[in-house]
Amino acid sequence: MSPTTLTSTTSNESAPEIRPLTSTVQDRDPSEAPESLRNRIRQFMAANLHRRPTLKDMAVFLGYSEKYCSDFFKVRMGEPFSQYGKRLRLEKAQCLLAEGQTTLAEIADGLGFSDQFAFSHFFKRAIGCAPNQFRLRSRKTRT
């Protein structure tokens, strides 16, 4: 190909838009994240709370990069991944404590904490009272 041929074919034509290889959540087609994907994420997280799933675990599960998964949670799930995991653990803990059938050690183990003391510390910082106090209050409101 001669230099004049190159010049003549590119001078009047607009160059195609060059898009980066990595795109953000907003750049991707909305059909990539249907409600079924959000449901799969919810099911994965609920089924793996005892393992304390990480963003890397989620990325492997979805087949996306950690960066994309992080952006996905912020944009499409409405909160960062770490906050989502904490919220799920708190909600599950509150349900189990209110039911009153599960020991603190079992709750801690089932939610991926190293022991009941780590769980109690987490719960108290998030809720403002110790798990046993929460359990007692829950019993009073049910009766």
Side-chain angles (χ1 to χ4, degrees):
M1 201 180 249
S2 70
T4 54
T5 307
L6 272 177
T7 307
S8 64
T9 57
T10 58
S11 62
N12 293 333
E13 296 175 16
S14 62
E17 180 184 353
I18 299 173
R19 301 186 80 183
L21 291 176
T22 57
S23 61
T24 64
V25 173
Q26 293 87 355
D27 293 338
R28 295 193 182 208
D29 182 15
S31 66
E32 285 188 33
E35 187 61 32
S36 64
L37 179 58
R38 286 188 282 272
N39 287 335
R40 285 181 51 218
I41 290 168
R42 289 182 190 112
Q43 291 170 353
F44 173 83
M45 292 296 288
N48 291 287
L49 274 180
H50 66 285
R51 294 181 47 239
R52 290 189 76 144
T54 63
L55 187 59
K56 184 175 183 173
D57 295 332
M58 181 59 63
V60 169
F61 172 72
L62 294 176
Y64 292 118
S65 71
E66 288 180 53
K67 172 71 172 133
Y68 179 77
C69 288
S70 177
D71 291 346
F72 177 89
F73 267 84
K74 288 177 188 167
V75 172
R76 302 261 168 91
M77 301 296 277
E79 60 191 325
F81 176 82
S82 60
Q83 186 177 335
Y84 182 83
K86 288 176 187 176
R87 183 176 53 78
L88 286 182
R89 285 192 297 276
L90 279 173
E91 288 173 359
K92 182 71 171 177
Q94 289 173 322
C95 287
L96 292 170
L97 288 167
E99 289 171 359
Q101 305 297 320
T102 314
T103 67
L104 290 183
E106 291 169 334
I107 293 172
D109 185 54
L111 296 178
F113 290 92
S114 57
D115 55 39
Q116 74 183 46
F117 303 107
F119 165 67
S120 293
H121 179 74
F122 167 80
F123 192 88
K124 187 171 185 175
R125 285 188 65 162
I127 302 297
C129 67
N132 281 330
Q133 291 174 324
F134 182 87
R135 180 175 273 166
L136 290 172
R137 289 179 190 166
S138 296
R139 286 183 187 157
K140 289 179 183 177
T141 57
R142 285 190 297 175
T143 56

